[in-house]
Amino acid sequence: MKPSTPFDLASVTKVVATTAMAMILYERGLLDLDIQVEAVVPEFVSKFQAATGAPDARRREVTIRELLAHSSGLPAYEKLFLKHRTRDELLRAAYGVPLTGDPGTRAEYSDIGFILLGVALERIARESLDRFCRKEIFSPLGMKGTVFNPPPHLRPQIAPTANENEEEEKEPWGPDTPARDTPEAKEHPSASRSKFRGRIIQGEVQDENAFLLGGVAGHAGLFSTAEDLAKFAHAMLQWGAGSGSASSGQAAARALPKTSHDPKKNKISTPGQEQLLRPETIALFTKRQATSNGTSRALGWDTPSTPSQSGKYFSPQSYGHLGYTGTSLWIDPMRETSVTLLTNRTWPDGSNQSIKEVRPRFHDAVIEALPTSE
């Protein structure tokens, strides 16, 4: 295992790709956060009505902001891949997933919402998610190991995430049985092993819905390395200088290197590295949203809750995200620190839940090992 070993980021895709794309489009004046989803993805209303024969007026109220904040009323997850076999079929099913709550009234983390958000952003940008992110984010930052759908020759280097082969016969339970193979582990709700593809999953997205979407989706599909995520986090800290404090926009701007604006490219650049985002944009997207159930969610990003998977030291201004495969990225602008954790905890069958204990301890250990300021 090396710092250059690629991992399936799972839902960390939501921030490093999808939310980052939304932030850039917002900065360029192309994305209105409060526009109704129906205006960009009319199928969100029409396909539901066609499938059910009964309109749901609430769907017309759902906004892009609510998709980002996980407050759209859409459910967390649906195994759409079990009933559909093509990208178009799965998208049609996603358009028609019923709301489980009124938009804007509560936060419920939703993969379905980010699938729809990915579609909306592609239509606004008139470019696919993977191509936009490669051209506008990964390439400028030198993130050479970050990609959707890794090419076949790279797959042996990537950490495997699942064994979807038919289950082999196991020896009876004994004192030396791994914890994930005990009866107690097998009774865990998330421990049912997928056999969807009937092979070892290595170098292709673990999430089955994202797989049917061609490996490129708003909620999952990105592969990256610890080195590349450190580059991304460093850029967010550099670009967001001052955004984590109560300082004014002018003070935040003074904390940054001298910038220049290229009207033809509609981007801001800094000497030595292109600056894609302003402090104000980062502050907007990483600020916790206000909903009736007291969510920790910002726009795309998450913030520390109590208790938090980020541990006990990250400041309230911190932002980050977790991934189902055992990945996470947390950024603390007050400490000027980021922590990337990449594991393949889902190997081989997804039953190992120890990441929930390991992750906060890992973050605490990293912070405790850093030198303290005098």
Side-chain angles (χ1 to χ4, degrees):
M1 197 70 66
K2 304 176 181 178
S4 59
T5 298
F7 283 79
D8 180 344
L9 296 188
S11 285
V12 177
T13 300
K14 290 181 172 74
V15 291
V16 177
T18 312
T19 299
M21 180 177 180
M23 295 167 81
I24 291 172
L25 292 175
Y26 171 82
E27 182 129 313
R28 295 180 185 176
L30 299 174
L31 175 63
D32 179 353
L33 294 175
D34 295 311
I35 193 174
Q36 277 71 32
V37 174
E38 182 191 17
V40 186
V41 188
E43 301 95 323
F44 179 60
V45 173
S46 63
K47 293 296 183 184
F48 176 82
Q49 185 168 342
T52 63
D56 184 346
R58 298 175 301 172
R59 298 178 82 85
R60 297 184 182 277
E61 302 172 7
V62 177
T63 66
I64 296 293
R65 184 188 299 271
E66 288 166 343
L67 291 183
L68 280 161
H70 296 280
S71 59
S72 65
L74 286 164
Y77 178 67
E78 295 284 338
K79 294 184 178 181
L80 302 177
F81 64 92
L82 293 179
K83 297 181 180 179
H84 308 284
R85 286 293 176 265
T86 68
R87 181 180 188 274
D88 288 345
E89 288 178 3
L90 192 141
L91 278 179
R92 283 196 294 270
Y95 297 144
V97 171
L99 300 183
T100 57
D102 293 336
T105 61
R106 63 182 175 87
E108 180 178 4
Y109 182 77
S110 177
D111 272 4
I112 304 300
F114 259 72
I115 290 175
L116 299 179
L117 177 62
V119 173
L121 296 179
E122 288 183 329
R123 293 184 180 181
I124 291 169
R126 298 184 180 181
E127 194 166 24
S128 66
L129 177 67
D130 57 335
R131 183 173 180 178
F132 182 97
C133 290
R134 182 176 66 251
K135 183 175 67 175
E136 305 289 352
I137 304 168
F138 308 149
S139 180
L141 293 180
M143 297 169 64
K144 297 180 180 179
T146 303
V147 64
F148 289 91
N149 287 323
H153 73 273
L154 290 181
R155 291 184 179 181
Q157 305 172 29
I158 299 173
T161 52
N163 179 358
E164 294 187 359
N165 287 317
E166 290 297 320
E167 192 165 5
E168 299 175 359
E169 292 295 324
K170 293 184 178 293
E171 297 294 328
W173 312 115
D176 297 326
T177 302
R180 65 169 175 263
D181 292 334
T182 63
E184 291 79 8
K186 292 302 180 182
E187 291 173 2
H188 192 279
S190 65
S192 56
R193 188 166 69 89
S194 173
K195 303 175 185 177
F196 178 61
R197 283 163 278 191
R199 58 178 180 268
I200 299 294
I201 306 306
Q202 183 177 19
E204 57 182 315
V205 62
Q206 182 271 338
D207 184 275
E208 296 93 341
N209 285 338
F211 170 76
L212 270 192
L213 290 170
V216 180
H219 71 297
L222 192 63
F223 289 76
S224 190
T225 67
E227 292 176 328
D228 277 7
L229 291 183
K231 293 177 182 178
F232 178 85
H234 176 75
M236 290 290 288
L237 287 169
Q238 181 186 36
W239 299 336
S243 66
S245 68
S247 60
S248 67
Q250 290 180 339
R254 285 198 300 271
L256 289 168
K258 184 178 180 180
T259 63
S260 60
H261 184 250
D262 183 346
K264 294 181 180 179
K265 295 183 178 180
N266 196 24
K267 299 175 184 175
I268 299 173
S269 61
T270 61
Q273 185 183 80
E274 194 169 27
Q275 178 163 330
L276 305 180
L277 299 168
R278 293 175 296 173
E280 296 85 355
T281 300
I282 293 176
L284 173 65
F285 276 77
T286 60
K287 180 181 178 181
R288 183 177 291 192
Q289 298 294 290
T291 59
S292 58
N293 65 338
T295 180
S296 65
R297 295 288 167 184
L299 295 181
W301 296 91
D302 198 8
T303 64
S305 54
T306 304
S308 174
Q309 285 286 293
S310 65
K312 59 187 178 183
Y313 295 117
F314 274 70
S315 72
Q317 289 78 24
S318 301
Y319 52 94
H321 211 284
L322 312 181
Y324 177 76
T325 51
T327 58
S328 60
L329 171 64
W330 281 95
I331 302 171
D332 188 340
M334 308 310 290
R335 290 180 177 271
E336 297 183 324
T337 299
S338 72
V339 178
T340 298
L341 176 61
L342 301 181
T343 79
N344 57 340
R345 73 97 198 159
T346 53
W347 175 262
D349 57 14
S351 63
N352 190 338
Q353 302 294 315
S354 60
I355 189 68
K356 296 177 181 178
E357 298 178 6
V358 170
R359 189 185 279 125
R361 293 179 182 178
F362 173 79
H363 287 102
D364 288 349
V366 170
I367 299 300
E368 289 168 0
L370 295 176
T372 57
S373 58
E374 295 296 333

